[in-house]
């Protein structure tokens, strides 16, 4: 349970003013305010379910450190940890089988936080013109032999009907194969979406929480959305992506392999392309409520269903993407106060939100 400390109105106003102007948007899309509901009066805490830009007191920080230290004192034996890695795809399959459509909601906040996913007015007009010109002559591009399990979402117009094709592949097992597989093994002269003017890849698409809002936004354009759970072929087919989206995905990967995954994905961005990232932050409420015996390694835990999660800091996120050769556009720690008004309980939530760009080559002097 959260013990609310005193909040300085002047300090909060100053912080909010700085945060509300810090985000950059591209292509004329809307700004990403990361919320604007500021708690200025402690007595109002239970008036809403969520408060934005919450400042932690020193007592809050110390309590979080102590809880994390307590639930990390009992580590799962190394010989038992392997299954959470090698059998991760099975745990995630069971997770989706258990929750089906009762647990997931479309991410309505997606375009506010990541306006880079939206086509600019100029690109959209051009894309719509291209789509109208192609009309009924546009047809599916055949996939290479043996690729029936490739993961993708193909958006195109054919006789006035919108068609979407998607498949969720096994996450970490397939991811590891993708990292190890030689790119030369893919022998194909064409690939799905090669003529699209705007290409997006969502890594770790799950059941489509981000997919469906994006598909809706690119209707009647020639934009192309790929979505996968680290499907080897789907990722290796494309090498000029405008946007890569990873929302609560990298945290499920073993920390020792995160850098390799980001390195590989970054190679598929075109120059000027953007990597959009949102995931769990250090000392988020979900980290502090882990019990003893669920600790795998530093800030890396396994849940009761066998799926795993890591909790990032801003510095770790910066190193992760900078080491992959990308430049920082945004790297934020999104701190919020989530409130259960029925039980009169408040919980500190911490998420990381970042945007990194692949730079253009330096012109020879």
């Amino acid at each position: 349970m959260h013990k609310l400390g005193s909040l300085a109105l002047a300090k909060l106003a100053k912080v909010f003013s700085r945060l509300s102007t810090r985000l950059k948007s591209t292509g004329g899309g809307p700004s990403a305010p990361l919320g604007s509901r500021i708690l200025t009066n402690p007595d109002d805490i239970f008036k809403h379910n969520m408060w934005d830009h919450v400042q932690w007191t020193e007592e809050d920080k110390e309590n979080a450190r102590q809880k994390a230290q307590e639930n990390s004192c009992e580590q799962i034996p190394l010989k038992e940890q392997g299954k959470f890695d090698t059998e991760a795809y099975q745990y995630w399959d069971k997770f989706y089988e258990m929750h089906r459509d009762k647990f997931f909601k479309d991410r309505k906040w997606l375009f506010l936080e990541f306006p880079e996913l939206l086509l600019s007015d100029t690109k959209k007009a051009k894309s719509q013109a291209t789509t109208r010109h192609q009309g009924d002559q546009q047809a599916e591009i055949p996939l290479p032999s043996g690729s029936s399990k490739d993961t993708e979402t193909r958006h195109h117009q054919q006789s006035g009907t919108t068609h979407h094709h998607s498949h969720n592949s096994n996450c970490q097992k397939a991811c590891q194969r993708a990292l190890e597989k030689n790119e030369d093994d893919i022998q194909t002269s064409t690939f799905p979406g090669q003529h699209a003017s705007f290409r997006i890849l969502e890594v770790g698409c799950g059941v489509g929480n981000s997919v469906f809002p994006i598909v809706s936004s690119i209707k009647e354009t020639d934009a192309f959305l790929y979505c996968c759970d680290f499907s080897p072929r789907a990722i290796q087919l494309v090498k000029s992506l405008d946007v890569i989206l990873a929302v609560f995905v990298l945290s499920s990967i073993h920390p020792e392999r995160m850098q390799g995954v980001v390195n590989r994905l970054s190679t598929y961005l075109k120059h000027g392309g953007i990597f959009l990232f949102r995931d769990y932050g250090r000392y988020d409420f979900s980290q502090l409520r882990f019990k003893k015996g669920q600790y795998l390694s530093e800030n890396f835990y396994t849940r009761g269903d066998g799926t795993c999660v890591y909790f990032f800091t801003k510095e770790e996120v910066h190193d992760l993407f900078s080491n992959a050769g990308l430049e920082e556009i945004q790297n934020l720690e999104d701190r919020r106060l989530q409130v259960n008004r029925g039980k009169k309980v408040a919980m500190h939530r911490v998420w990381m939100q970042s945007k990194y760009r692949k730079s253009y080559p330096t012109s020879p002097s």
Side-chain angles (χ1 to χ4, degrees):
M1 182 175 292
H2 169 72
K3 182 177 180 181
L4 188 65
S6 59
L7 298 172
L9 176 58
K11 181 178 180 180
L12 280 172
K14 182 178 179 180
V15 170
F16 176 64
S17 176
R18 183 174 69 252
L19 290 173
S20 63
T21 58
R22 74 199 181 294
L23 301 180
K24 302 176 182 179
S25 61
T26 60
S31 62
L34 280 175
S36 56
R37 182 176 290 146
I38 308 300
L39 178 63
T40 57
N41 184 351
D43 294 335
D44 294 336
I45 185 172
F46 295 113
K47 287 186 176 181
H48 296 285
N49 293 328
M50 188 79 74
W51 297 95
D52 306 310
H53 310 304
V54 174
Q55 301 297 298
W56 286 32
T57 65
E58 289 303 317
E59 183 179 4
D60 292 330
K61 296 176 184 178
E62 182 58 30
N63 288 339
R65 283 192 289 266
Q66 289 182 5
K67 289 180 180 178
Q69 185 175 8
E70 290 172 5
N71 67 26
S72 302
C73 66
E74 186 177 325
Q75 185 178 23
I76 296 176
L78 292 177
K79 64 179 181 180
E80 298 179 16
Q81 290 191 22
K83 66 179 181 180
F84 298 113
D85 188 24
T86 59
E87 301 175 17
Y89 68 98
Q90 295 182 11
Y91 290 120
W92 281 108
D93 280 348
K94 292 178 181 178
F95 174 84
Y96 287 116
E97 176 67 23
M98 178 185 302
H99 294 288
R100 293 185 177 271
D101 59 349
K102 300 177 181 178
F103 184 77
F104 310 98
K105 296 181 180 179
D106 288 351
R107 291 165 175 152
K108 297 179 180 179
W109 50 265
L110 196 64
F111 301 117
L112 287 176
E113 309 289 16
F114 296 133
E116 292 83 0
L117 291 167
L118 295 169
L119 277 77
S120 66
D121 293 339
T122 301
K123 284 186 176 181
K124 192 168 186 177
K126 181 178 179 181
S127 178
Q128 289 172 334
T130 301
T131 302
R132 287 194 297 269
H133 177 72
Q134 291 175 343
D136 293 340
Q137 296 180 357
Q138 186 178 30
E140 281 286 348
I141 301 174
L143 293 175
S145 175
S147 62
S148 61
K149 293 185 179 180
D150 294 349
T151 302
E152 63 174 88
T153 292
R154 175 68 192 265
H155 176 87
H156 65 101
Q157 299 295 318
Q158 189 174 54
S159 301
T161 303
T162 301
H163 300 268
H164 305 164
H165 305 273
S166 63
H167 170 79
N168 296 327
S169 64
N170 297 330
C171 181
Q172 284 193 316
K173 186 176 181 181
C175 173
Q176 185 65 13
R177 293 200 305 269
L179 296 178
E180 296 174 351
K181 188 174 179 65
N182 191 320
E183 295 177 17
D184 295 335
D185 291 343
I186 302 296
Q187 300 294 333
T188 178
S189 58
T190 63
F191 62 89
Q194 65 175 356
H195 299 300
S197 63
F198 190 72
R199 302 187 188 96
I200 301 170
L201 166 65
E202 187 193 6
V203 181
C205 60
V207 295
N209 305 73
S210 298
V211 169
F212 292 111
I214 295 174
V215 166
S216 179
S217 76
I218 62 176
K219 285 181 179 178
E220 299 181 359
T221 74
D222 71 336
F224 199 102
L225 170 65
Y226 306 85
C227 56
C228 67
D229 273 9
F230 294 114
S231 165
R233 187 177 298 272
I235 293 176
Q236 293 187 24
L237 282 174
V238 188
K239 294 190 177 182
S240 58
L241 294 166
D242 293 272
V243 180
I244 293 177
L245 176 67
V247 178
F248 299 106
V249 175
L250 295 182
S251 57
S252 67
I253 298 173
H254 194 286
E256 292 181 358
R257 284 205 297 278
M258 282 183 196
Q259 189 65 65
V261 171
V262 174
N263 290 350
R264 175 57 63 91
L265 289 173
S266 298
T267 65
Y268 300 116
L269 280 172
K270 70 180 186 181
H271 294 294
I274 295 180
F275 202 129
L276 304 177
F277 168 83
R278 186 172 175 84
D279 223 314
Y280 296 102
R282 188 69 46 84
Y283 302 143
D284 177 65
F285 174 76
S286 61
Q287 178 180 9
L288 305 184
R289 68 180 181 182
F290 274 107
K291 306 298 182 183
K292 294 180 181 179
Q294 295 180 279
Y295 175 76
L296 293 170
S297 60
E298 190 171 0
N299 300 299
F300 190 49
Y301 302 79
T302 179
R303 303 183 181 93
D305 58 11
T307 60
C308 299
V309 59
Y310 184 83
F311 297 88
F312 296 91
T313 64
K314 285 181 61 175
E315 293 73 22
E316 289 173 343
V317 172
H318 178 78
D319 290 344
L320 195 61
F321 289 97
S322 295
N323 291 340
L326 305 182
E327 62 176 359
E328 179 182 316
I329 301 175
Q330 176 192 91
N331 187 23
L332 303 173
E333 192 174 55
D334 183 11
R335 293 179 180 269
R336 306 196 187 194
L337 194 64
Q338 187 174 4
V339 178
N340 185 322
R341 290 187 283 177
K343 296 181 179 180
K344 301 298 182 182
V345 173
M347 299 155 282
H348 279 298
R349 302 312 308 265
V350 185
W351 296 294
M352 304 307 305
Q353 181 165 305
S354 308
K355 305 176 184 181
Y356 283 79
R357 179 188 288 119
K358 187 172 185 176
S359 303
Y360 289 93
T362 304
S363 301
S365 54

